[in-house]
Structure formats: C-alpha cells, structure tokens
Amino acid sequence: MTLFIFYFLLPQTEYHIDEKMKNNVLKNVCGAWKGFKTKLVSGWITKTREHPKNHKEPYEFYDGVTKTQWETFKKYCETEEFKVCFLCFHN
C-alpha cells in the first residue's frame, strides 16, 4: 500500500545519500511520509481531522500534490484493500 501511494503522490526524484547517513535519513523520511499520509486520510478521506477550511482539496493546499494524484489516491482509498488495511491499523 505505501509504495502505491508513494508512487502517485511524490515526483520521481533520485537522491544521493552518504551511506553513513542513509539509515537516519530514511527513518526521518519514512516518519514524515507516514505523517503526511495520515493527514491526507484523516483530513479528507475519513474526515476525522479538521483540514484547512479555505482549501476544499489537498492539491489546493499542498504544492506537491496534483489534482490527478489526489484523484488516484482517493480512488485507491475506496478499494477493499485500503479499507482492510485501514481497519487493521485503526481498531
């Protein structure tokens, strides 16, 4: 699930990271990515969190999210796979 969401929401970019720092960088990136996905799902999909009132959709608020990416993400969140994963982690 994470790779699917990651592929559609982030631009395809390559980073060169020193091997000594790689583990720490990846931990930080993963934590930030998980927090961002949580904000998207709880703010706009499940609506359990308030999102900025002056923005109707995340692509109007977050520069890194396009309308096409958001529509793909929303469609994925309507699948049984997503709902099962969501229930497993939130019950």
Side-chain angles (χ1 to χ4, degrees):
M1 179 173 88
T2 300
L3 290 178
F4 177 85
I5 297 169
F6 186 78
Y7 176 78
F8 282 102
L9 289 181
L10 290 180
Q12 304 304 309
T13 307
E14 185 176 326
Y15 297 96
H16 299 280
I17 302 168
D18 181 73
E19 283 298 317
K20 294 177 184 176
M21 300 295 294
K22 188 175 182 178
N23 196 32
N24 287 335
V25 169
L26 289 175
K27 282 182 185 179
N28 288 328
V29 168
C30 288
W33 178 239
K34 182 178 179 182
F36 180 65
K37 289 185 303 180
T38 299
K39 284 182 182 180
L40 287 175
V41 171
S42 63
W44 283 274
I45 303 296
T46 63
K47 300 191 190 311
T48 55
R49 175 190 297 217
E50 240 181 80
H51 58 74
K53 300 232 182 286
N54 57 342
H55 298 282
K56 295 181 181 182
E57 299 291 343
Y59 56 83
E60 297 171 324
F61 185 69
Y62 296 108
D63 292 333
V65 179
T66 66
K67 184 176 182 177
T68 303
Q69 291 167 331
W70 175 243
E71 295 300 326
T72 302
F73 180 70
K74 277 190 350 185
K75 188 174 181 178
Y76 176 72
C77 291
E78 294 170 357
T79 65
E80 284 302 312
E81 177 187 5
F82 175 83
K83 291 175 184 175
V84 167
C85 288
F86 183 81
L87 289 174
C88 288
F89 290 109
H90 292 90
N91 282 333

